[in-house]
């Protein structure tokens, strides 16, 4: 059952990550205006939360008793799998697929910091390592977000009564 749990979580994590990857691709390829970008972010945010709820609820159907702890653990596992997939994509996005986007963003940051030459030097130093930095940041950020979301969502996915188990007496 444990390996099945991990494979289900990995599959659900992939689907969850596809929302974030699609959002990132749309942002990079089409460069939407502020209003559309805000709407896209809201759709991504709501869609991610709804899918996480749906996935935990689907996993809960396998058992008669599904506690808050079970829902929380599975939600965190799905979120962690999703964050790994998102982080790998973000690394590939900035290092391989769209490497020019980092250079454009760094140039824009340097133009804003023209009055501070030390800041420009610091920005130039991290430019080569930005994909690796983003990889770590995305894993951390998405996992923390997943923990918070799972702690809220797990309360709505529990089922059964822990006191109904008459076999333990």
């Amino acid at each position: 059952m444990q390996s099945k749990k991990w494979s289900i979580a990995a599959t659900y994590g992939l689907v969850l990550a596809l929302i974030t990857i699609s959002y990132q691709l749309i942002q990079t390829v089409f460069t939407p205006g502020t209003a559309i970008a805000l709407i896209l972010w809201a759709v991504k945010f709501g869609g991610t939360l709804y899918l996480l709820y749906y996935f935990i609820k689907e996993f809960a159907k396998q058992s008669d008793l599904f506690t808050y702890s079970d829902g929380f653990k599975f939600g965190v596992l799905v979120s962690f799998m999703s964050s790994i997939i998102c982080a790998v994509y973000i690394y590939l996005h900035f290092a391989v697929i769209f490497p020019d986007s980092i250079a454009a963003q760094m140039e824009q940051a340097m133009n804003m910091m023209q009055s501070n030459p030390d800041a420009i030097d610091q920005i130039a130093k991290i430019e080569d390592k930005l994909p690796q930095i983003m990889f770590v940041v995305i894993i951390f950020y998405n996992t923390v977000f997943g923990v918070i979301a799972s702690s809220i969502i797990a309360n709505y996915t529990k089922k059964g009564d822990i006191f109904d188990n008459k076999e333990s007496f």
Side-chain angles (χ1 to χ4, degrees), residues 80-97:
F80 180 67
M81 294 294 184
S82 175
S83 69
I84 290 173
I85 295 166
C86 285
V88 168
Y89 171 75
I90 290 296
Y91 176 80
L92 292 173
H93 181 91
F94 287 116
V96 178
I97 303 170

Side-chain angles (χ1 to χ4, degrees), residues 85-137:
I85 295 166
C86 285
V88 168
Y89 171 75
I90 290 296
Y91 176 80
L92 292 173
H93 181 91
F94 287 116
V96 178
I97 303 170
F98 299 105
D100 296 338
S101 64
I102 286 184
Q105 290 174 0
M106 289 299 185
E107 185 177 325
Q108 187 177 22
M110 287 180 190
N111 288 337
M112 291 184 345
M113 300 283 188
Q114 283 181 350
S115 62
N116 189 348
D118 292 333
I120 292 174
D121 290 341
Q122 294 299 323
I123 290 172
K125 286 180 184 177
I126 67 164
E127 184 174 2
D128 293 337
K129 296 179 181 163
L130 198 60
Q132 293 91 338
I133 293 169
M134 290 298 296
F135 178 83
V136 173
V137 168

